[in-house]
Amino acid sequence: MRRPIRESWITVVLLTILECVARAEESVAILPGDMKLTGPHAQQTLLVEKVNDGQYVGEAGGSQEWSFGDPSVATIEEGVLVPRKNGETTLTLKSGEQTATAKVRVERFDEASPVSFRNHVQSVLAKAGCNSGACHGALAGKNGLKLSLHGYDANADWFMITRQARGRRIVPDDPARSLFVTKPTAAIPHKGGVRFDVGSPEYHTLVRWVAEGAQSPKADDPRLEKLEMLPGKLLLKPGMKQRILVRAHFSDGHVEDVTRWVKFTSSDESVALIDQTGRLTVMGEGEGFVSGWYLSQNVVATVTAPYQRPVDPKVFADAPRQNFIDEQVLKQLERLNLAPSPPAGDEEFLRRVYVDTIGTLPTAAEARAFYADSSPDKRNTLIESLLERPEFTDYWTYKWSDLLLVNSEKLNPTAMWAYHRWIRQQVAQNTPWDEFVRGIITAKGSTLENGAANFFVLHPDAADLAETTSQAFLGMSIGCAKCHNHPLEKWTNDQYYGMANLYSRVKVKSAGGEGNAFVFAVDRGELLQPNKGQAQLPRPLDADPVPFEATGDRREYLADWLVSPDNPYFARAITNRIWANYLNVGLVEAVDDLRLTNPASNEELLNAAAHFLVENKYDVKALMRAILQSATYQRSSRALPENEVDRRYYSRYYARRLMAEVLLDGISQVSGVPTQFYRESGDRRNRNIGGLGEPYPSDLRAIQLPDANVLSYFLKSFGRAPRHLTCECERTDEPSMVQVLHLSNGDTINEKLAAKGNRIEQSISAGMSNERIVEDAYLSTLARFPTAGEKDRLVQALGETPADERRVVLEDLYWSLLSSKEFLLNH
């Protein structure tokens, strides 16, 4: 009896010790930490955060006592720190048994602190929605008042408010009676309703500005340099609530608490909701992001809510790791409490790696050989062979042709072929991605001799070139900044036209020969910014500008910046595109939407993979090899109870429908009947063969087509990209009833299965056994052997089938396999 008692006592002691250790590890912190208050009107909301193992885990509750080393410097009013005089002091918090301190400095308390139109008035108007697209920020304004969208043009807005309509919106000697104040408070009828209340901070800001003389924006106004969101990373549980603070750092060194003026959004409301006061509520498990917009800049914070299903830590410790990819993925899975699925078997891996790498199904013979191979390194051997196969060149030439819009609708067919050949040559040579892109951006000369020069024929406008360059090679859309500052990114209207002006001196002229044009750069000419009537200094987005008088082709400077290892966007963009091809879900979705307010599902992984690509001198095959060899890629697509909710953290491989071209080629390969393709002719008089256009070689596969301008009901129905826009949104794998009906009753499968000399007929003519025919049908379509049950039933059915009905039964077998979910999906 004494042994259990002693063990029980030891257990109690150990639990007590662990509880004390856990309590010791938990602390509290004052946010924002050390603070500087500038001016008599400065203030800073304070947060008291619980900290556990270096992570913020929620606001501290209970009683809180505040004290100052010198209480004459500052004080706290309802949780807000306000200044009293210039000086420095220490702020001390006592929360239960724990304490925290922060330094407080007050400066310029005795100096005037006027309201800034650029920084304060515009903030009020933006948060209240006055300059939104639905109100006075609309293209034509509202009721006679037109403001720049979200306040991107402070000078124009100041003029409209103070000078337009004979200045009737401002009453200098009685600021509270200004229409500028009485309208948004609805003291005077206002179609926009009440935007803020009399006596509110918004009200006082506008009244003070008018009372101070309605000062205009100044060239030396402090400019916003960065935003800071606190806490920047949170580890919370569903149901918890949390306040968020945003601080603005300005060019003159002062910092303001701008939380009240920030527009908040959530990237995933199933994880976290945030209201417009900055109060966050955790709605469910997962990892999400909340963003704040202020004065045309954005800032993001991460909210992690681990899944509640218990997972043994040993699962993560024992999970296979092949390279840095697995380390980063497993680190996040452990943080989220998501168990990884087990490794995929050979049958699952074989078909997957063929489809993802070369866009082609393995043949029955290739499948048999792989399964018969007992060498431990056979997967790596297969990966290396696939990366060197001609089908790899076909597949990736097609992928990059989608990105670069190779299309005879916009290019002469001769020029289209030249562009396609140039792309194919780069893929075949494994040209490093930086050289590949440089070759396009700086292309010049004949479009037939240098196919890359067709990039400038497809995009003859400088603004279009800037947008396409950003979308294709940086994964970012800057199109919104053409008319106003980008609402979801930091790009301004000035930056847009600076980027576009890099292309203003590129010219294209006709040259001798069909489809031939000549691309060259001249030494003069600028692109005017419409709303300013002058040109912006040419500059690559946030890089240093090029002087107007600089000689040489500006595109060389753009290319140097674009492909530089120091460029924070270039390597991430191509890394994300390649990752999405192999894992079916981009680290950033969509793959061409790499903006600050759309963070990667695993930022550390994306950064590490992009760094790996740069270290390997932009060798995309090296990155592909690392992905293919990783345990992450080679994980089963079968969900576990512990990860069935996961859609973006790579706890398993995500099944996805085959790309339209790969699917059609697979049907052709399995049936042994190639598809005849015809180019769509823009001139109906030149069409032949019953209204079809010019035929391609009969053995050309869909993945080898140089052009998207191809007559194919199948490809169109299954979502091929028409190559009209540089946007991943052009291609779709969404299911539709048209697809279902075509697979069931359409011509594509049925005609190939009924064709003379096809795979079925060859099998019968060769006298293959029923067992071998069934095995080959499964291996050629699903890349696996039939299960014992499948095989027994089908062999028996074939054995009982009369000879004259044998082909019909086999056609039914192949049809059932080709229209099955297992065939249509890569898994």
Side-chain angles (χ1 to χ4, degrees):
M1 293 296 294
R2 296 182 63 184
R3 182 181 178 90
I5 293 174
R6 185 165 58 249
E7 287 180 347
S8 176
W9 177 81
I10 292 172
T11 300
V12 170
V13 171
L14 287 173
L15 288 174
T16 304
I17 293 173
L18 289 173
E19 185 178 344
C20 292
V21 170
R23 190 182 298 121
E25 287 179 350
E26 187 171 282
S27 61
V28 293
I30 302 171
L31 294 182
D34 292 349
M35 290 160 276
K36 180 171 66 174
L37 301 178
T38 305
H41 301 290
Q43 59 180 31
Q44 176 62 61
T45 301
L46 300 176
L47 290 182
V48 180
E49 286 294 312
K50 292 185 291 185
V51 182
N52 197 325
D53 196 22
Q55 294 183 306
Y56 295 114
V57 294
E59 292 188 61
S63 62
Q64 296 174 356
E65 298 178 15
W66 298 92
S67 61
F68 290 91
D70 183 353
S72 68
V73 173
T75 188
I76 294 176
E77 299 176 358
E78 297 181 354
V80 177
L81 179 69
V82 294
R84 284 185 168 180
K85 72 171 188 178
N86 291 333
E88 294 185 7
T89 186
T90 299
L91 173 63
T92 300
L93 162 74
K94 184 177 181 182
S95 178
E97 299 179 358
Q98 297 171 326
T99 61
T101 61
K103 297 290 186 183
V104 177
R105 178 182 175 187
V106 177
E107 59 183 25
R108 297 187 230 167
F109 182 79
D110 50 0
E111 298 179 14
S113 179
V115 175
S116 163
F117 181 84
R118 186 189 307 278
N119 297 326
H120 300 138
V121 174
Q122 292 286 60
S123 300
V124 171
L125 298 179
K127 184 62 181 281
C130 303
N131 54 23
S132 68
C135 199
H136 298 291
L139 184 61
K142 286 282 186 181
N143 297 325
L145 176 59
K146 181 185 184 314
L147 300 176
S148 63
L149 187 65
H150 305 307
Y152 78 91
D153 191 339
N155 291 301
D157 291 346
W158 175 85
F159 180 86
M160 295 296 289
I161 291 168
T162 64
R163 299 295 186 266
Q164 195 242 4
R166 292 180 288 186
R168 71 187 185 93
R169 298 185 177 96
I170 299 296
V171 182
D173 58 350
D174 194 353
R177 290 181 56 239
S178 301
L179 284 177
F180 181 58
V181 177
T182 56
K183 282 278 191 176
T185 57
I188 289 178
H190 180 224
K191 286 188 176 180
V194 178
R195 309 313 300 173
F196 46 81
D197 296 325
V198 174
S200 66
E202 292 83 358
Y203 174 85
H204 285 300
T205 297
L206 299 191
V207 169
R208 272 187 58 210
W209 174 70
V210 177
E212 291 168 357
Q215 295 296 307
S216 65
K218 302 294 191 299
D220 61 350
D221 282 340
R223 301 301 179 102
L224 176 63
E225 290 192 332
K226 72 171 184 176
L227 292 177
E228 176 188 18
M229 186 174 277
L230 298 171
K233 290 185 178 181
L234 282 159
L235 183 64
L236 304 174
K237 295 179 180 179
M240 292 181 68
K241 297 182 183 295
Q242 168 74 48
R243 287 179 297 161
I244 298 293
L245 302 180
V246 178
R247 303 210 303 163
H249 295 252
F250 289 90
S251 56
D252 64 351
H254 87 277
V255 181
E256 294 183 22
D257 180 353
V258 296
T259 306
R260 187 178 183 94
W261 323 117
V262 170
K263 293 181 179 180
F264 291 99
T265 56
S266 172
S267 67
D268 186 348
E269 294 187 348
S270 68
V271 175
L273 282 176
I274 188 166
D275 66 19
Q276 290 309 304
T277 68
R279 294 181 181 275
L280 178 150
T281 302
V282 182
M283 305 302 293
E285 300 157 325
E287 194 159 77
F289 306 91
V290 291
S291 60
W293 180 96
Y294 174 78
L295 292 183
S296 295
Q297 286 199 28
N298 290 276
V299 65
V300 175
T302 306
V303 182
T304 302
Y307 290 88
Q308 299 301 298
R309 184 185 292 269
V311 179
D312 187 342
K314 195 171 184 297
V315 170
F316 302 106
D318 294 346
R321 290 168 168 82
Q322 297 298 328
N323 53 33
F324 72 94
I325 292 173
D326 302 320
E327 294 292 344
Q328 294 293 347
V329 170
L330 288 168
K331 178 181 176 182
Q332 184 177 45
L333 293 180
E334 186 169 15
R335 183 171 70 244
L336 289 169
N337 211 29
L338 279 171
S341 288
D346 280 351
E347 291 179 340
E348 197 174 1
F349 170 77
L350 178 67
R351 189 176 192 265
R352 177 191 304 173
V353 73
Y354 264 74
V355 169
D356 286 340
T357 308
I358 65 174
T360 304
L361 297 175
T363 64
E366 289 169 336
R368 288 180 185 276
F370 182 74
Y371 300 145
D373 187 351
S374 59
S375 60
D377 202 39
K378 69 177 183 178
R379 291 194 181 188
N380 286 341
T381 302
L382 175 61
I383 290 168
E384 292 302 325
S385 69
L386 292 175
L387 291 174
E388 298 304 322
R389 281 180 56 156
E391 293 94 334
F392 175 90
T393 302
D394 295 335
Y395 179 67
W396 286 97
T397 297
Y398 197 91
K399 295 281 284 187
W400 300 144
S401 294
D402 272 358
L403 180 67
L404 298 171
L405 308 184
V406 180
N407 191 338
S408 64
E409 272 191 285
K410 296 183 178 181
L411 288 175
N412 177 280
T414 307
M416 178 273 295
W417 273 107
Y419 199 9
H420 179 266
R421 282 194 297 270
W422 183 87
I423 296 170
R424 183 179 179 80
Q425 183 181 23
Q426 308 314 306
V427 177
Q429 295 173 173
N430 193 32
T431 300
W433 186 248
D434 58 336
E435 294 180 25
F436 186 113
V437 173
R438 180 183 289 276
I440 294 171
I441 298 299
T442 63
K444 56 187 175 183
S446 166
T447 55
L448 300 186
E449 295 175 5
N450 180 8
N454 285 287
F455 181 74
F456 296 93
V457 177
L458 285 166
H459 310 286
D461 176 74
D464 184 27
L465 282 165
E467 291 184 28
T468 301
T469 298
S470 177
Q471 190 93 13
F473 306 127
L474 301 176
M476 299 185 301
S477 172
I478 62 171
C480 287
K482 185 174 185 178
C483 300
H484 47 75
N485 291 353
H486 201 302
L488 300 175
E489 259 291 4
K490 66 179 183 178
W491 310 123
T492 66
N493 186 246
D494 289 349
Q495 287 176 308
Y496 177 95
Y497 280 96
M499 178 79 165
N501 205 19
L502 289 163
Y503 285 115
S504 63
R505 297 181 178 180
V506 181
K507 305 298 178 184
V508 180
K509 69 176 183 180
S510 298
E514 182 184 358
N516 195 14
F518 199 82
V519 177
F520 60 101
V522 297
D523 58 3
R524 66 184 61 187
E526 309 292 349
L527 176 67
L528 298 183
Q529 186 175 1
N531 67 340
K532 294 188 176 180
Q534 61 186 27
Q536 284 289 328
L537 277 169
R539 59 182 294 186
L541 292 180
D542 53 6
D544 294 330
V546 180
F548 286 125
E549 63 275 12
T551 59
D553 192 339
R554 291 173 175 175
R555 295 178 299 162
E556 294 288 348
Y557 181 75
L558 170 60
D560 288 342
W561 170 81
L562 192 68
V563 306
S564 169
D566 297 327
N567 185 329
Y569 320 111
F570 181 70
R572 283 167 57 94
I574 185 58
T575 297
N576 190 52
R577 287 186 188 276
I578 291 172
W579 180 273
N581 175 81
Y582 285 101
L583 276 299
N584 292 333
V585 176
L587 287 161
V588 177
E589 278 288 339
V591 297
D592 45 17
D593 192 21
L594 275 70
R595 51 187 161 82
L596 178 65
T597 52
N598 184 33
S601 60
N602 190 329
E603 280 287 335
E604 292 180 357
L605 173 57
L606 179 54
N607 289 333
H611 181 68
F612 176 86
L613 180 65
V614 172
E615 278 193 328
N616 282 273
K617 302 185 185 303
Y618 293 100
D619 180 354
V620 295
K621 278 191 179 180
L623 177 60
M624 293 175 185
R625 183 181 295 110
I627 293 172
L628 291 168
Q629 291 177 344
S630 70
T632 300
Y633 177 78
Q634 296 188 26
R635 207 163 275 146
S636 175
S637 63
R638 294 179 179 86
L640 302 175
E642 296 88 352
N643 67 21
E644 60 187 356
V645 295
D646 173 28
R647 297 293 182 272
R648 58 180 314 208
Y649 306 116
Y650 311 104
S651 61
R652 64 180 189 277
Y653 182 88
Y654 306 119
R656 190 173 185 177
R657 204 208 70 207
L658 299 182
M659 195 169 88
E661 296 82 354
V662 173
L663 182 57
L664 181 54
D665 282 345
I667 294 170
S668 298
Q669 177 181 317
V670 170
S671 64
V673 179
T675 301
Q676 177 65 62
F677 295 104
Y678 299 88
R679 184 172 66 83
E680 176 101 42
S681 174
D683 185 353
R684 292 185 175 273
R685 293 172 301 177
N686 291 335
R687 292 190 179 180
N688 52 30
I689 316 178
L692 298 177
E694 176 186 340
Y696 281 100
S698 59
D699 61 346
L700 200 71
R701 298 184 302 137
I703 211 68
Q704 294 174 312
L705 290 167
D707 189 5
N709 193 27
V710 173
L711 291 166
S712 174
Y713 180 79
F714 185 95
L715 294 180
K716 182 178 180 180
S717 299
F718 282 83
R720 66 135 181 238
R723 298 180 183 171
H724 294 151
L725 301 171
T726 306
C727 179
E728 193 67 19
C729 59
E730 282 206 322
R731 179 175 293 280
T732 177
D733 61 357
E734 290 296 316
S736 69
M737 186 55 65
V738 170
Q739 296 171 10
V740 173
L741 293 174
H742 190 71
L743 290 173
S744 300
N745 303 309
D747 297 338
T748 303
I749 293 180
N750 290 326
E751 288 187 356
K752 291 182 184 299
L753 294 180
K756 291 185 177 181
N758 68 5
R759 185 85 60 200
I760 295 172
E761 188 172 303
Q762 293 172 20
S763 300
I764 295 173
S765 300
M768 291 172 58
S769 66
N770 292 337
E771 183 178 68
R772 179 66 180 235
I773 287 175
V774 170
E775 285 184 353
D776 278 7
Y778 273 80
L779 287 170
S780 63
T781 53
L782 310 181
R784 68 170 176 85
F785 285 101
T787 64
E790 290 169 335
K791 184 176 179 179
D792 290 345
R793 288 194 301 271
L794 290 168
V795 169
Q796 180 180 352
L798 284 172
E800 297 171 352
T801 300
D804 59 344
E805 296 179 13
R806 186 176 174 80
R807 171 160 182 155
V808 174
V809 173
L810 288 176
E811 287 180 8
D812 287 346
L813 168 60
Y814 272 87
W815 178 88
S816 64
L817 291 171
L818 291 170
S819 61
S820 69
K821 183 178 177 181
E822 190 174 354
F823 177 80
L824 298 173
L825 299 179
N826 195 24
H827 46 82

